[in-house]
Amino acid sequence: MYLRYRFYYLLSAVILIIAMGYAVPPLFTIGRLFFWLLVTGVVVDIVLLWSRRGIRAFRTLSPRFSNGDDNPVGIRLESSYPFGVHTEVIDEVPPVFQRRDILFLADVRRMGEATITYQLRPTERGIYSFGRVRVFVSTLLGLVQRRYTCCEPQDVKVYPSYMMLRQYELLAMSNNLTEMGIKRIRRIGNNTDFEQIKDYVVGDDYRTINWRATARRHQLMVNVYQDERSQQVFSVIDKGRMMQQAFQEMTLLDYAINAALVLSYVTINKQDKAGLVTFADQFGTFVAPSKQEGQMQTIQEALYAEQTQFGETDYSALMAGLSRHVTRRSLLILYTSFTSMASMRRQLQYLRQLNMRHRLLVVFFEDEELSQFIAHHSQFTTDSNHISHLSSFNSPSTESVYQHVIAEKFAYEQRLIVQTLRQYGIQSLLTTPRNLSVDVINKYLEIKSKM
């Protein structure tokens, strides 16, 4: 049983009236009367609330959460009280969220229901443990609260962002690709991918005649096939220490994992074979390329457990692992992080070897906060130059000028990395974590359209 603030406010008022009764005797009698009315109200409140077990609560959530996305959580309240009640609901969410606002107020009508919905955005993969749901119930008198403990503790697995699959599903459909300016090139040939049945014309291969269709139409009909263009596409994810950098509470590794999952989905829908490779100081996870129905689940389970390492990335281990597992020329989409020309040049020989054996696309990250700082400082400098004749205080300080120069240097080096890779015939993509998935998908579709 919990006494509410209203009870203490009324009790304080009663005590004040009784105390004033020493100066004005009639107030003492009035204070005693109010005191017994307060006691009676508390007793009535207790009897009403404890006359039955009047509240049940049920938590509804997905058995798995999508990392980096808003995941809905619902709480349904059911009342068996023959009168309306006021409730305060506290859900014991996993401590990792550090939420202090999971307290919800809801009025439930007599013998009625109420639903509460809120959202949680995880930023790390793993197992998240929910506790119980605490429901505090009070009547219209509002003097006493009864606490109900509902729902059993439950664990939820946080997987790579599977919600993004629906968001980018349309990119894998031909009609949307046409809108993007990417055309699907088809050639008539003796391949296994059936496309359509058409009327026979002079020059068609007689071996493609469809005799059943010919018998139905009473004229020669032939099968038309499209070229087999299926290729192996590997998402190669660097798990080294540089991928521990965070943007909006998510590491670069998590952004790369989400993008790899979406790309694999688009790849399979484009009739290519999607595979997965992870590496750090040694060769890590390998998922053989496939376009079968269960491939997405296999890739998702493999990505679920991946974590960054504290050691340096070893590209020689990647080379050895790929030579051992991948014998067919494939498209490798490498997610990594190069912060300087020196870090890129240390790995350049391995990147060139990979590009000779396969088709390589290097994806690395642009520091969005650094770009915003440069843009803001440039705007500030321009505005200051325009009005410098009005006040000397508008000029940027020496420290800010040095910061701007250093930021420009880092941004220049990232652009230089892109140019250097292109000089060696290696395709590269410099993008922000926020735009990673969209840019990688568009680049993949662009590469596919040229093959």
Side-chain angles (χ1 to χ4, degrees):
M1 184 181 74
Y2 298 89
L3 297 174
R4 300 193 68 195
Y5 288 119
R6 182 179 298 179
F7 168 80
Y8 291 106
Y9 293 151
L10 294 176
L11 181 61
S12 300
V14 169
I15 292 174
L16 181 60
I17 293 174
I18 292 176
M20 293 174 60
Y22 287 99
V24 183
L27 292 179
F28 186 80
T29 304
I30 295 175
R32 292 180 58 186
L33 176 61
F34 284 164
F35 172 77
W36 287 111
L37 288 175
L38 180 61
V39 172
T40 302
V42 170
V43 172
V44 170
D45 234 2
I46 293 174
V47 171
L48 291 175
L49 290 175
W50 271 264
S51 61
R52 64 183 69 194
R53 182 171 180 82
I55 287 290
R56 293 192 302 169
F58 305 90
R59 182 197 291 123
T60 57
L61 47 77
S62 173
R64 58 181 184 175
F65 277 4
S66 177
N67 191 28
D69 298 316
D70 291 328
N71 298 267
V73 180
I75 299 175
R76 189 178 83 256
L77 303 176
E78 295 181 357
S79 174
S80 60
Y81 284 117
F83 49 84
V85 294
H86 177 76
T87 62
E88 297 178 7
V89 183
I90 299 177
D91 192 4
E92 296 179 348
V93 301
V96 67
F97 288 109
Q98 293 296 301
R99 293 284 295 269
R100 298 293 184 268
D101 58 344
I102 309 298
L103 170 62
F104 306 100
L105 307 179
D107 293 321
V108 186
R109 296 177 297 178
R110 66 183 188 88
M111 311 299 289
E113 297 182 358
T115 302
I116 298 169
T117 303
Y118 65 97
Q119 294 182 328
L120 294 175
R121 180 181 180 269
T123 56
E124 298 178 5
R125 286 164 287 110
I127 299 178
Y128 288 38
S129 299
F130 284 81
R132 298 179 180 272
V133 175
R134 313 289 182 176
V135 183
F136 297 86
V137 184
S138 58
T139 66
L140 296 179
L141 292 176
L143 299 176
V144 178
Q145 279 184 330
R146 179 181 178 180
R147 188 185 74 174
Y148 289 91
T149 299
C150 308
C151 301
E152 293 296 325
Q154 62 187 116
D155 294 336
V156 175
K157 289 186 176 181
V158 178
Y159 280 83
S161 181
Y162 59 86
M163 287 185 178
M164 296 177 65
L165 300 183
R166 295 298 179 187
Q167 182 179 356
Y168 298 111
E169 180 178 6
L170 297 179
L171 293 177
M173 299 171 60
S174 299
N175 55 346
N176 283 347
L177 295 182
T178 303
E179 295 176 4
M180 295 172 60
I182 300 175
K183 296 182 179 180
R184 185 175 180 183
I185 302 174
R186 297 179 176 178
R187 297 182 179 90
I188 298 175
N190 298 320
N191 296 302
T192 58
D193 288 350
F194 174 79
E195 181 179 9
Q196 64 178 341
I197 300 175
K198 74 176 187 66
D199 295 336
Y200 174 86
V201 296
V202 177
D204 286 340
D205 190 341
Y206 65 89
R207 291 175 297 180
T208 64
I209 294 176
N210 188 317
W211 295 107
R212 290 187 178 181
T214 298
R216 288 196 302 267
R217 297 288 298 274
H218 302 290
Q219 63 181 19
L220 287 177
M221 307 292 294
V222 294
N223 294 332
V224 179
Y225 299 90
Q226 61 181 354
D227 283 343
E228 175 68 46
R229 300 184 62 192
S230 177
Q231 63 176 333
Q232 295 184 158
V233 180
F234 282 94
S235 296
V236 184
I237 301 178
D238 179 2
K239 300 189 299 181
R241 63 181 182 86
M242 296 304 296
M243 297 294 281
Q244 293 181 354
Q245 299 179 57
F247 174 74
Q248 291 187 347
E249 301 180 354
M250 284 180 58
T251 63
L252 297 184
L253 176 64
D254 282 314
Y255 282 104
I257 285 175
N258 290 347
L261 184 65
V262 176
L263 178 65
S264 299
Y265 178 81
V266 175
T267 298
I268 293 174
N269 277 272
K270 294 298 295 177
Q271 302 305 310
D272 284 336
K273 297 177 181 179
L276 174 68
V277 172
T278 65
F279 73 105
D281 53 351
Q282 57 185 359
F283 193 79
T285 304
F286 176 81
V287 177
S290 174
K291 56 181 178 180
Q292 300 301 318
E293 184 177 351
Q295 182 70 356
M296 281 304 303
Q297 182 65 28
T298 302
I299 293 176
Q300 191 174 50
E301 291 293 339
L303 291 173
Y304 167 75
E306 297 296 339
Q307 299 293 334
T308 51
Q309 307 294 325
F310 289 96
E312 290 290 340
T313 302
D314 187 355
Y315 277 77
S316 63
L318 174 64
M319 283 287 303
L322 288 176
S323 299
R324 186 167 59 253
H325 291 94
V326 184
T327 57
R328 175 183 168 186
R329 183 174 176 83
S330 307
L331 172 60
L332 306 181
I333 300 181
L334 172 62
Y335 300 88
T336 187
S337 178
F338 292 131
T339 56
S340 64
M341 279 293 297
S343 64
M344 189 276 294
R345 289 193 178 279
R346 286 197 298 268
Q347 315 300 345
L348 183 57
Q349 59 173 325
Y350 302 111
L351 296 178
R352 294 180 64 185
Q353 293 180 42
L354 285 174
N355 194 52
M356 291 175 59
R357 300 179 184 181
H358 304 278
R359 191 161 191 171
L360 178 63
L361 170 63
V362 179
V363 181
F364 59 105
F365 296 91
E366 178 183 358
D367 192 328
E368 189 168 346
E369 294 178 349
L370 187 69
S371 300
Q372 293 173 355
F373 172 80
I374 294 174
H376 175 74
H377 188 276
S378 299
Q379 181 65 32
F380 174 76
T381 303
T382 302
D383 294 343
S384 298
N385 291 336
H386 284 321
I387 58 176
S388 58
H389 63 282
L390 298 178
S391 174
S392 60
F393 293 103
N394 289 318
S395 300
S397 64
T398 304
E399 180 181 358
S400 65
V401 171
Y402 278 117
Q403 291 175 345
H404 180 72
V405 170
I406 294 173
E408 286 280 11
K409 177 180 179 295
F410 280 114
Y412 170 74
E413 284 205 350
Q414 287 188 321
R415 296 192 297 269
L416 187 60
I417 290 173
V418 174
Q419 296 177 2
T420 303
L421 291 174
R422 290 176 179 172
Q423 288 175 0
Y424 287 99
I426 302 173
Q427 297 191 68
S428 60
L429 176 62
L430 176 61
T431 183
T432 61
R434 189 195 310 273
N435 300 324
L436 176 63
S437 297
V438 175
D439 291 344
V440 169
I441 291 173
N442 287 335
K443 192 67 176 180
Y444 158 73
L445 295 174
E446 176 187 337
I447 293 173
K448 184 173 178 62
S449 68
K450 295 178 181 178
M451 295 183 63

